[in-house]
Amino acid sequence: MRSIAAPQGGTLRSTPMPASNFRADHRDTPSWLLVAAMILSFLVAQQDDRFTVDPLRAVPAVVSLLALGGALAIGRYSARPRLAAGARAFLQMTLFTLFGVVLAYALAAKSGTLWDARLAAADRAVGFDWPVVLALLDQCPPLIWLLGLAYHSLTVQMIVVIVALSGMGKFDTLRTMVCAAILSGFVTILISGLTPAMGNLFDPARYVHLWPSIAWLEQGLISGLRDGSLRVLDLTMLMGIVSFPSFHATLAAIFIWAFGAMPRLAGPGRAWAILTIVATPVFGGHYGVDVLMGLLLAPPAIVAAQRLTQRRQPCPQPGPGLPA
């Protein structure tokens, strides 16, 4: 029997391998466990503030999960490792997104005093003068469009990275990237529960060309979570409400690392992710310290993910001259 094995370098080769060894590869288990921990955390966090789900608006999410699960099954049982790897990555990231956002909602509903004054003071202390930056940016509409599109393209970046890594057979990098994204996202959400904030708000009406930031648009959502008026989850309209640290910055930094495994895409891919990071304070409504903290989270998340997902050497089997 032949099966597909991915060597250390991440390239794809067909080599004989016993089926038992193939099934014993549990390098994706850490990501599944992290998703399970997020689900459990949500169930615990919403005990006092019960959330319900709009069943009709949950249909698209359920259909998407079933389709990805079906693609994963087809890939595994038809010996198509690229399909299986891509479907698994999309399934894990979709589950992470769904339960990560609702966990952030549950924590926001329980959070205490807002940290906006402290975060704004920290920005001033390190020299971020946002009124000046916004006024200068408002005078350059092409730059606004470039940065705005880069910020709102993070999901597209994720799709490109997953499709490219799985299509090229870079399974180790893909596995590490997904695990690092879920791990750092989980940590970010937990920290945000302790440091709730509305975000670095600016009134778009004061500017000619600047778009409203996500933080500006989400004010009502955060207020509804905090005052108890919003307890029905619309799974078609889930919004990220984390301010500190910025997961947008963390995920873009992880993509910079992942693009490095694809020489032909490394240059444009990294430039794309860097533009996203630069755009995050303005179009995400983040404080500068949100972005700095988000960037600091990426390297340890990647290192931890590499260790969690590395191949374990099988235990030696008893043989001649070895004790059983």
Side-chain angles (χ1 to χ4, degrees), residues 156-302:
V156 179
Q157 291 178 51
M158 180 189 72
I159 293 172
V160 169
V161 170
I162 291 177
V163 171
L165 287 175
S166 59
M168 295 178 186
K170 304 283 187 177
F171 301 143
D172 289 343
T173 303
L174 177 60
R175 185 179 289 111
T176 298
M177 186 274 291
V178 170
C179 186
I182 297 174
L183 175 60
S184 59
F186 193 8
V187 171
T188 297
I189 292 166
L190 295 178
I191 293 175
S192 75
L194 301 175
T195 59
M198 296 295 289
N200 187 15
L201 302 177
F202 66 88
D203 187 349
R206 297 177 54 188
Y207 301 92
V208 178
H209 302 291
L210 273 179
W211 306 348
S213 68
I214 294 298
W216 179 266
L217 298 174
E218 290 174 352
Q219 294 178 81
L221 170 61
I222 296 175
S223 298
L225 291 168
R226 290 173 62 85
D227 65 23
S229 60
L230 196 161
R231 290 295 181 269
V232 179
L233 298 175
D234 179 354
L235 298 188
T236 66
M237 292 293 292
L238 294 177
M239 303 289 288
I241 59 171
V242 172
S243 180
F244 178 86
S246 168
F247 183 59
H248 228 80
T250 305
L251 193 55
I254 292 172
F255 289 161
I256 290 174
W257 172 83
F259 275 119
M262 301 174 283
R264 293 184 179 180
L265 295 178
R270 285 174 165 174
W272 187 7
I274 289 171
L275 283 175
T276 301
I277 294 170
V278 173
T280 294
V282 175
F283 297 94
H286 280 282
Y287 297 97
V289 291
D290 297 351
V291 176
L292 293 177
M293 184 61 180
L295 294 175
L296 288 175
L297 284 176
I302 293 171

Side-chain angles (χ1 to χ4, degrees), residues 1-321:
M1 177 178 179
R2 294 179 65 85
S3 61
I4 306 299
Q8 187 65 28
T11 57
L12 185 66
R13 298 176 185 171
S14 295
T15 57
M17 184 170 66
S20 59
N21 287 351
F22 181 79
R23 295 180 181 177
D25 187 351
H26 299 297
R27 288 177 292 167
D28 292 299
T29 301
S31 293
W32 292 120
L33 291 177
L34 285 168
V35 171
M38 293 181 70
I39 296 173
L40 180 61
S41 298
F42 167 70
L43 295 176
V44 172
Q46 60 98 49
Q47 284 297 314
D48 297 329
D49 299 284
R50 294 281 184 172
F51 285 83
T52 58
V53 176
D54 184 327
L56 182 61
R57 293 184 176 274
V59 171
V62 173
V63 170
S64 297
L65 293 173
L66 290 175
L68 290 171
L72 173 57
I74 292 172
R76 289 185 63 183
Y77 294 107
S78 63
R80 298 165 67 183
R82 290 181 172 88
L83 174 60
R88 182 185 298 108
F90 278 120
L91 181 58
Q92 290 172 335
M93 290 299 293
T94 301
L95 287 169
F96 156 70
T97 301
L98 288 172
F99 288 101
V101 172
V102 298
L103 174 59
Y105 283 12
L107 294 177
K110 302 171 71 68
S111 61
T113 304
L114 294 172
W115 277 54
D116 290 276
R118 301 179 192 181
L119 296 173
D123 265 14
R124 291 191 296 270
V126 297
F128 287 112
D129 192 342
W130 294 115
V132 172
V133 172
L134 296 175
L136 291 174
L137 186 59
D138 193 46
Q139 298 174 18
C140 189
L143 184 57
I144 290 175
W145 277 95
L146 176 63
L147 294 177
L149 292 176
Y151 174 81
H152 289 285
S153 70
L154 193 66
T155 299
V156 179
Q157 291 178 51
M158 180 189 72
I159 293 172
V160 169
V161 170
I162 291 177
V163 171
L165 287 175
S166 59
M168 295 178 186
K170 304 283 187 177
F171 301 143
D172 289 343
T173 303
L174 177 60
R175 185 179 289 111
T176 298
M177 186 274 291
V178 170
C179 186
I182 297 174
L183 175 60
S184 59
F186 193 8
V187 171
T188 297
I189 292 166
L190 295 178
I191 293 175
S192 75
L194 301 175
T195 59
M198 296 295 289
N200 187 15
L201 302 177
F202 66 88
D203 187 349
R206 297 177 54 188
Y207 301 92
V208 178
H209 302 291
L210 273 179
W211 306 348
S213 68
I214 294 298
W216 179 266
L217 298 174
E218 290 174 352
Q219 294 178 81
L221 170 61
I222 296 175
S223 298
L225 291 168
R226 290 173 62 85
D227 65 23
S229 60
L230 196 161
R231 290 295 181 269
V232 179
L233 298 175
D234 179 354
L235 298 188
T236 66
M237 292 293 292
L238 294 177
M239 303 289 288
I241 59 171
V242 172
S243 180
F244 178 86
S246 168
F247 183 59
H248 228 80
T250 305
L251 193 55
I254 292 172
F255 289 161
I256 290 174
W257 172 83
F259 275 119
M262 301 174 283
R264 293 184 179 180
L265 295 178
R270 285 174 165 174
W272 187 7
I274 289 171
L275 283 175
T276 301
I277 294 170
V278 173
T280 294
V282 175
F283 297 94
H286 280 282
Y287 297 97
V289 291
D290 297 351
V291 176
L292 293 177
M293 184 61 180
L295 294 175
L296 288 175
L297 284 176
I302 293 171
V303 171
Q306 287 174 323
R307 294 183 178 179
L308 288 171
T309 61
Q310 67 184 358
R311 185 184 295 276
R312 270 57 174 182
Q313 295 297 327
C315 296
Q317 297 298 319

